[in-house]
Amino acid sequence: MSTSKTATKSFPSIGGQMCLDFANTLGGLRGGETQEYLSSYDDLVAWGQQMESMATDNVAFLLLEKQHHPHEANAVLASARTLREAIYRIFAAIATNKKPTDTDLATLNTYLGKSLAGGRIVPVADGFGWEWVGDRYALDQMLGPVARSAAQLLTSPQLVLVRECMNTSCSWLFVDHTKNHRRRWCSATGCGNVAKVRRHRQRQRPGPTGS
C-alpha cells in the first residue's frame, strides 16, 4: 500500500499542549460566531498528522478507509468534536477557577480508558517509560493521545498556568509559559495585535468639546 498521500491542511498550534491545540480547532467564541477547523474526517486526519498524534504512515490508509466506510468516519468526526468540546469546557472552567462538570470529566474518561488499554512499559535510556501501541486500523486512532494529553495536563503543575484568550471574540486556550505569567492573548500577532489596534484607535478618538 502506498503511503505517499498526506493530509496538507495546516492548523494553529499555540496551546502549549496537544489537548489544548485540539480544543483550539474551533475558532472564534463558543456561543457566538465560530470557525470550524474540523469540517471533515480528512481534516481530523490532517490534524493528527500535524500534531503527531498518529503515525504518518497511517495517513494514506485512513483516507482510503474513509472512502470505504464514510458513515463510520463521520461518526468518528462527531465523537472527536464531542471530546474536543468536553476538553474545552474542562480547561476553560479551570482557567476561571471553576470546577469542571462531572459530565465533561466522564466524557474525557471514556476516551482515556480506551486509550490506556494500549499502554505498556518499555526500557528507555534512563530507565523505563510508557509506550502506546495503538490499532493502526482504527479510524479514531488520533484521539487516544489527545485524551492522554488532557489527563497529563490535569495532573501536572502546569494546570494552574492554563489560560483562555482575553479577546471577547476568541475562546482559545493556552499554557502561559511567560516569565511573569501575565500572558493575555492566544497570540501576539492575532488577538494581541487586534487589542493593540483597538487601544490605539480609542486613544485617537477626539475627546468631548466644550460649548
Side-chain angles (χ1 to χ4, degrees), residues 104-209:
D104 287 332
L105 290 174
T107 297
L108 172 60
N109 280 325
T110 296
Y111 289 89
L112 182 61
K114 181 179 179 181
S115 72
L116 292 177
R120 63 185 184 184
I121 296 295
V122 296
V124 295
D126 57 350
F128 297 88
W130 283 102
E131 179 179 78
W132 304 101
V133 183
D135 180 0
R136 74 178 304 268
Y137 300 106
L139 289 170
D140 64 350
Q141 62 189 260
M142 69 291 292
L143 300 182
V146 173
R148 293 196 297 271
S149 171
Q152 289 165 0
L153 182 54
L154 284 169
T155 56
S156 163
Q158 294 187 30
L159 183 62
V160 297
L161 301 178
V162 173
R163 308 281 188 266
E164 186 168 9
C165 183
M166 295 295 291
N167 187 341
T168 55
S169 60
C170 179
S171 55
W172 277 1
L173 300 165
F174 56 89
V175 177
D176 182 4
H177 289 301
T178 60
K179 186 175 182 179
N180 59 8
H181 302 313
R182 297 181 64 183
R183 178 178 167 187
R184 302 180 63 195
W185 317 111
C186 60
S187 71
T189 57
C191 289
N193 189 58
V194 169
K196 182 179 179 180
V197 170
R198 185 182 299 117
R199 290 194 301 268
H200 176 74
R201 289 176 177 173
Q202 289 173 344
R203 287 195 297 267
Q204 297 302 312
R205 290 175 182 172
T209 58

Side-chain angles (χ1 to χ4, degrees), residues 9-27 37 46-53 149 170 172-175 177 183 185-190:
K9 185 172 181 178
S10 181
F11 298 85
S13 180
I14 57 89
Q17 293 287 339
M18 180 188 291
C19 58
L20 301 187
D21 282 329
F22 190 63
N24 294 344
T25 57
L26 187 68
Y37 288 87
W47 184 88
Q49 179 185 356
Q50 179 181 322
M51 301 298 172
E52 299 182 351
S53 72
S149 171
C170 179
W172 277 1
L173 300 165
F174 56 89
V175 177
H177 289 301
R183 178 178 167 187
W185 317 111
C186 60
S187 71
T189 57

